[in-house]
Amino acid sequence: FRHDPKLVWEFYLLRRKQALACEPNPAHHALVALENWLAAGGGTLDLVTQNVDGLHLRAGSTDIVEMHGSLLYSRCTACGEVFRDETVYEDYPPFHDCAARGMLRPHIVWFGEALFDGDLDRIERSLAGCDLFLVVGTSGVVYPAAGLVGHARALGKETVCVYLEPPANADLFDRYLEGKAGEVLSEHLFPGVSDRIG
């Protein structure tokens, strides 16, 4: 980014445009239904996602940690302000309207960068307080997310993975359920939630 901000912005603006054109899928809606079902019984769903497309929010999930950031936010490299930004810039790299006129960057955690302030603490609190650690749709190779199941197991939590094929860390889960996340969540793992989807 320091070497060629225009190239980086070109890459992310294409992905921002793609994300804005997408709609939440059945798995996103199943997680919203699960959140609502748990809330009706006095429980909560703390959702931690590696996805940067904003689709969980658009589907209606409310308590989300976007641990790798979001394509739909930008951050000023001078003043540090983070703000929602769905602009598909024609002229880039863009600059902030702050006093320092700092260059904007996508609000994404890049390889080699730390998670955003407070996110890891929120994730650890969620793990400590959860009854079930559920992983949906991940290959199990990107850290620190891939290591959370080991932490959950060390805390004595039940661990379940839902994915189309066994992830790299499948042996760490108590249960692995193969299939499309929307179908598995609504029909097999949480029966009765499926009629709330839609």
Side-chain angles (χ1 to χ4, degrees), residues 15-75:
R15 276 137 193 88
R16 178 180 283 180
K17 187 175 181 180
Q18 291 170 332
L20 290 168
C22 291
E23 294 297 326
N25 66 35
H28 296 104
H29 294 298
L31 289 169
V32 172
L34 177 58
E35 180 181 349
N36 294 336
W37 179 74
L38 288 168
T44 60
L45 174 70
D46 296 339
L47 196 151
V48 177
T49 183
Q50 298 176 87
N51 295 343
V52 296
D53 53 26
L55 291 174
H56 285 295
L57 279 169
R58 287 176 52 199
S61 292
T62 59
D63 191 6
I64 305 172
V65 175
E66 293 176 306
M67 67 187 302
H68 293 162
S70 174
L71 289 168
L72 306 183
Y73 283 79
S74 291
R75 179 166 80 242

Side-chain angles (χ1 to χ4, degrees), residues 3-4 8 10 25 30 33 44 46 107-109 114 121-123 134 147 153 170 175 185:
H3 175 69
D4 194 345
V8 173
E10 184 176 0
N25 66 35
T44 60
D46 296 339
H107 189 56
I108 300 289
V109 177
D121 290 339
R122 280 185 67 193
I123 293 166
L134 173 66
R153 285 181 63 93
R175 286 193 290 160
L185 289 173

Side-chain angles (χ1 to χ4, degrees), residues 143-186:
Y143 284 81
L148 294 177
V149 63
H151 188 56
R153 285 181 63 93
L155 293 170
K157 308 300 180 176
E158 181 182 359
T159 58
V160 177
C161 178
V162 177
Y163 196 44
L164 288 171
E165 57 189 45
N169 58 357
D171 59 322
L172 296 176
F173 289 91
D174 296 317
R175 286 193 290 160
Y176 163 66
L177 302 171
E178 186 174 331
K180 293 183 177 180
E183 294 172 7
V184 173
L185 289 173
S186 61

Side-chain angles (χ1 to χ4, degrees), residues 12 14-15 20 30 59 61-62 69 76 82 86 88 93 96 99-100 117-118 120 122 153 157 168 170 182-183 190:
Y12 280 100
L14 175 60
R15 276 137 193 88
L20 290 168
S61 292
T62 59
C76 179
V82 176
E86 297 182 9
V88 180
H96 197 208
D117 284 345
L120 197 53
R122 280 185 67 193
R153 285 181 63 93
K157 308 300 180 176
E183 294 172 7
F190 300 104

